[in-house]
């Protein structure tokens, strides 16, 4: 009898964990991909489906798989990294030329005025900003398998500003 009493007291000290059978189960996108279920999503309206549809039934845009979006994300990350590194290297090189302009024996010098320097810095800053936004957008697509609309809008705004500045430069020259 004392052994039965010990077993019952052990049960009260370590109760079984309660499992909630009513709570809904959620499956992550990564797990669904592992299970070979292809989720297609619309980049325009964010519609998602597992059916093999060529276009979105809501807006008519072409549906994309998460795998394709991730591949495009890697391409965006590479492009953004290239832009940031390339423009950064050119900025450092030009900075050396600009700062060494007044020194005797300098082989190259900057002959522009403060307005030219401000324009150069603005264009370089915008291109580097576009590169950073592209990198962040690419990382988002790699991680989540779908594009982020806000980041895409930011990238296109910076690209539009760059085009306006390029048009202004062309009109001035």
């Amino acid at each position: 009898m004392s052994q039965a009493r010990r077993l019952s007291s052990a049960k009260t000290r370590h109760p079984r964990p309660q499992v909630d059978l009513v709570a809904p189960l959620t499956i992550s996108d990564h797990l669904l991909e592992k299970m070979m279920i292809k989720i297609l999503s619309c980049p325009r309206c964010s519609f998602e489906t597992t059916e093999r549809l060529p276009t979105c039934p809501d807006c008519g845009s072409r549906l994309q798989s998460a795998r394709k979006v991730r591949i495009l994300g890697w391409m965006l990350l590479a492009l953004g990294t290239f832009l940031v590194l390339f423009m950064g290297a050119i900025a450092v090189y030009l900075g050396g030329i600009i700062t060494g302009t007044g020194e005797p024996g300098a082989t190259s010098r900057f002959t522009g005025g403060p307005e030219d320097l401000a324009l150069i810095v603005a264009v370089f800053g915008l291109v580097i900003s576009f590169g950073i936004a592209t990198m962040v957008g690419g990382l988002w697509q790699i991680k989540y398998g779908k594009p982020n609309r806000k980041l895409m809008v930011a990238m296109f705004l910076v690209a539009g500003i760059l085009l306006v500045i390029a048009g202004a430069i062309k009109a001035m020259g």
Side-chain angles (χ1 to χ4, degrees), residues 10-11 19 31 37 39-40 52 56 58 62 68 72 79 86 88 94 105 114 116-117 126 139 141 146 158 164 168 171:
K11 286 183 182 176
V19 178
L31 184 60
I37 299 174
I39 296 176
L40 299 173
R52 294 192 54 86
C56 175
D58 292 342
R62 194 173 163 168
K68 182 179 178 183
L72 293 172
L79 175 67
F86 185 69
L94 285 178
D116 297 327
L117 184 59
L126 280 171
L139 287 172
Q141 286 185 205
K146 51 185 156 185
V158 172
V164 168

Side-chain angles (χ1 to χ4, degrees), residues 6-82:
R6 269 189 259 142
L7 288 176
S8 67
S9 66
K11 286 183 182 176
T12 58
R13 274 189 268 145
H14 303 291
R16 284 186 159 175
Q18 298 266 333
V19 178
D20 189 6
L21 298 175
V22 181
L25 295 174
T26 57
I27 300 175
S28 69
D29 291 342
H30 182 70
L31 184 60
L32 285 174
E33 278 186 44
K34 290 279 187 191
M35 294 170 45
M36 299 304 289
I37 299 174
K38 264 193 166 179
I39 296 176
L40 299 173
S41 62
C42 176
R44 184 175 291 162
C45 71
S46 300
F47 172 79
E48 291 183 337
T49 184
T50 55
E51 296 178 35
R52 294 192 54 86
L53 300 173
T55 59
C56 175
D58 292 342
C59 69
S61 236
R62 194 173 163 168
L63 296 177
Q64 296 177 340
S65 69
R67 182 175 186 269
K68 182 179 178 183
V69 172
R70 284 191 172 98
I71 290 170
L72 293 172
W74 280 107
M75 291 171 60
L76 284 175
L77 180 62
L79 175 67
T81 303
F82 172 76

